[in-house]
Amino acid sequence: MPAITVLDATTADGALLVLAIVLPVVGILLSFVLGGRYAERIAGVLLPGGFVVACIIFLKVWQGGESLIYIVGGWQPPLGITLRADGLSVAMMVAMAIVICLIGVFAHANFGSRAASVETRAPLVFWVMLMAISGAMNMIFLGGDLFTLYVALELLTFAAVPLVCLDGRVETLQAALRYLLFALLGSILYLVGTALLYGSYGTLDIVLMSQRVRLEPATLAAATLMTLGLFAKTALFPLHLWLPPAHAGAPAAASAVLSAVVVKGSFFLIVRLWFDALPGLLSVAASQLIGVLGASAIICGNIVALRQKRLKLLIAYSTVAQIGYLFLMFPLAFSADPSPLRYGDALTAGMLQTISHATAKAAMFMAAGLVYAALGHDRISELGGITRALPMTMFAFGLGGLCLIGLPPTGGFLAKWLLLEATIATAQWWWAIVIIAGGLLTSAYIYIVLSRATGPPSAPLTLQATVPKYQEVAALGLALLSILLGLVALGPIDVLQVGRPEAPMAGLR
């Protein structure tokens, strides 16, 4: 069993776990009490504060080498609720906090507010929803039972949907409604699955569930329903139809949040479900099927991205493809003859890919937003000369593209290298072909964009607006983080294994 430390509300560590969730809620309430004109200032204080809290929790878990558990109200499971901070939790908390803070810096130009100005709807909605997403994500990372995770996922969904249609255009309203329908369908399937599990085992606590779970029809039906629901929320192919119009139509800052942060919440729940709550239940055939869906996303998403005429749509379909890589960890982790090393390597690769994609894709969406603001359009064929006008922006886009391709020394390279090593260790060479083919397709559309951008303009280039330097710096900062992940992650990446259970025994399958 992994080492754990049980905390009570009076300990500083227990207060930190609670504070990570409560701090954004305080910001939301203050925004409504003080008025929307102060929402940005409140977010500007509390979001960095949340980052500091996440870093402190990270250091405690990493240095202590054990999970932190806080039992809410002193009520033990299965009646009570627990917050658990293990290696996966703290790594994701820190990564998402960094991304959200830099997106907040970027968003000042579009959603800035002043106390003396007239209160407007969009800035209030954006900053309140950004804080809500921060709190919901921390709740997902720390939640210790499947129903708490459901509540957190719903909070995340209802905070994300308004970001799609902030500008009020008809097409973005349609995209938001489609997103909402897919999300609600996923929620219904997930909730039915949790009801079946509770009826079978009398608990939804992840640790207790992992100790009681049995291979029986009700459990398999529940796991299937929950997984399908989470696939819809994560936009895994072929349940991805809502994602491209939602991400491409939203404002640049909102697109960055949706692609880099929001879809990671439901994916994290899939990891919690199969690696922690139901260990050993995923059969080899089912894991291969998940891998096929991931491979289909990689190939189809990249091919469709190659055909796009608009930059933001290209990046949106690229997200569909990159999500596919996350699901290749399942056939590699749940192979026919698992070992703890193999299990851990595949999980590490998948989570590193999750974090690398978040930083790179946020940078690319922000860069695309700056290009649109400067030119008044994002048509790829008419990007000639934009590199001279916005060199820092296009440099950030290029660095993000290198990470998506998986070139050294980026975090994407390290993640894909670990996946390739796992394919060799498990003798599943066909996934290596998918990974390499996906990298080649990604490099093709990144090359198309950069070649157009560095080429001469077809007509004299006229900028429609001046791009603030701090927006370019924010985008470049995230792009550089995607590079640094490949250089420094080899040490801190060990934290992902803190609190991990042993690899499931083959006999359970």
Side-chain angles (χ1 to χ4, degrees):
M1 292 294 292
I4 59 173
T5 295
V6 180
L7 311 169
D8 60 56
T10 60
T11 64
D13 293 347
L16 284 172
L17 298 186
V18 176
L19 190 62
I21 298 173
V22 171
L23 203 60
V25 177
V26 172
I28 294 170
L29 295 177
L30 285 175
S31 297
F32 287 124
V33 170
L34 299 179
R37 290 173 302 217
Y38 295 92
E40 182 188 9
R41 296 182 178 184
I42 294 169
V45 173
L46 295 186
L47 290 178
F51 167 67
V52 173
V53 171
C55 287
I56 295 173
I57 298 174
F58 178 93
L59 291 174
K60 288 182 177 293
V61 171
W62 186 22
Q63 294 173 355
E66 59 182 15
S67 301
L68 304 179
I69 294 182
Y70 167 56
I71 300 174
V72 179
W75 290 82
Q76 296 284 344
L79 295 178
I81 297 173
T82 60
L83 302 179
R84 291 185 174 91
D86 61 5
L88 295 183
S89 301
V90 296
M92 292 297 293
M93 283 176 64
V94 171
M96 295 302 108
I98 293 173
V99 172
I100 288 174
C101 286
L102 287 176
I103 290 174
V105 173
F106 178 88
H108 171 73
N110 305 109
F111 301 103
S113 57
R114 297 290 182 270
S117 65
V118 176
E119 182 177 323
T120 55
R121 176 185 63 88
L124 171 63
V125 172
F126 178 83
W127 294 111
V128 167
M129 294 302 104
L130 189 63
M131 288 185 283
I133 287 172
S134 175
M137 291 296 290
N138 286 341
M139 193 173 176
I140 287 174
F141 298 144
L142 297 175
D145 68 88
L146 296 176
F147 186 75
T148 299
L149 294 177
Y150 164 77
V151 174
L153 193 60
E154 290 310 283
L155 292 174
L156 180 66
T157 297
F158 289 111
V161 170
L163 295 181
V164 176
C165 54
L166 276 176
D167 57 10
R169 291 182 291 122
V170 173
E171 54 267 33
T172 58
L173 288 171
Q174 292 174 340
L177 286 174
R178 182 184 298 180
Y179 177 18
L180 183 61
L181 288 175
F182 271 83
L184 290 178
L185 172 63
S187 299
I188 292 171
L189 295 176
Y190 182 93
L191 190 58
V192 172
T194 58
L196 288 174
L197 288 177
Y198 187 78
S200 298
Y201 303 108
T203 184
L204 292 175
D205 183 79
I206 290 175
V207 173
L208 294 179
M209 180 73 65
S210 67
Q211 297 168 354
R212 301 178 185 181
V213 67
R214 300 181 302 275
L215 191 62
E216 56 186 20
T219 305
L220 291 176
T224 301
L225 290 172
M226 296 170 74
T227 302
L228 287 175
L230 293 171
F231 281 174
K233 286 178 173 287
T234 310
L236 177 64
F237 181 91
L239 301 175
H240 68 287
L241 299 178
W242 64 266
L243 187 148
H247 288 199
S255 297
V257 174
L258 294 169
S259 182
V261 179
V262 173
V263 295
K264 306 305 188 298
S266 51
F267 172 74
F268 190 84
L269 260 68
I270 298 174
V271 173
R272 279 285 188 236
L273 180 67
W274 288 112
F275 283 83
D276 294 336
L278 307 175
L281 195 66
L282 189 65
S283 67
V284 174
S287 67
Q288 291 291 315
L289 176 59
I290 294 176
V292 168
L293 294 176
S296 301
I298 293 171
I299 302 302
C300 296
N302 279 325
I303 290 175
V304 177
L306 272 168
R307 301 173 57 189
Q308 297 308 306
K309 307 299 182 184
R310 288 182 49 216
L311 185 58
K312 286 193 71 176
L313 263 176
L314 181 149
I315 301 172
Y317 278 104
S318 171
T319 298
V320 174
Q322 294 297 316
I323 286 172
Y325 286 103
L326 306 181
F327 290 91
L328 293 186
M329 62 187 268
F330 287 91
L332 299 175
F334 297 95
S335 57
D337 55 341
S339 66
L341 177 62
R342 189 173 303 158
Y343 186 101
D345 282 354
L347 179 62
T348 298
M351 300 314 295
L352 181 58
Q353 173 67 18
T354 303
I355 296 171
S356 299
H357 175 262
T359 54
K361 191 51 64 75
M364 294 176 76
F365 265 119
M366 290 155 69
L370 295 179
V371 170
Y372 189 96
L375 297 179
H377 67 83
D378 63 347
R379 293 185 292 274
I380 297 173
S381 61
E382 301 176 27
L383 293 182
I386 192 62
T387 299
R388 288 189 176 184
L390 299 175
M392 192 185 304
T393 295
M394 294 311 300
F395 184 56
F397 181 91
L399 290 180
L402 292 180
C403 184
L404 297 190
I405 295 169
L407 294 178
T410 65
F413 165 76
L414 183 56
K416 291 178 175 64
W417 182 261
L418 291 174
L419 286 175
L420 288 172
E421 284 189 332
T423 64
I424 296 171
T426 58
Q428 300 183 67
W429 52 266
W430 48 92
W431 303 125
I433 295 176
V434 173
I435 294 170
I436 295 171
L440 293 174
L441 290 171
T442 304
S443 63
Y445 61 73
I446 295 297
Y447 171 77
I448 290 173
V449 172
L450 293 179
S451 63
R452 299 277 185 174
T454 55
S458 55
L461 192 66
T462 302
L463 299 184
Q464 304 294 319
T466 301
V467 172
K469 284 297 180 185
Y470 66 84
Q471 285 192 301
E472 293 192 280
V473 170
L476 182 59
L478 283 169
L480 289 174
L481 280 176
S482 69
I483 304 295
L484 291 175
L485 276 170
L487 299 174
V488 303
L490 290 176
I493 203 173
D494 292 338
V495 77
L496 294 174
Q497 300 305 321
V498 174
R500 305 304 309 145
E502 293 296 323
M505 298 299 292
L508 288 178
R509 300 188 184 86

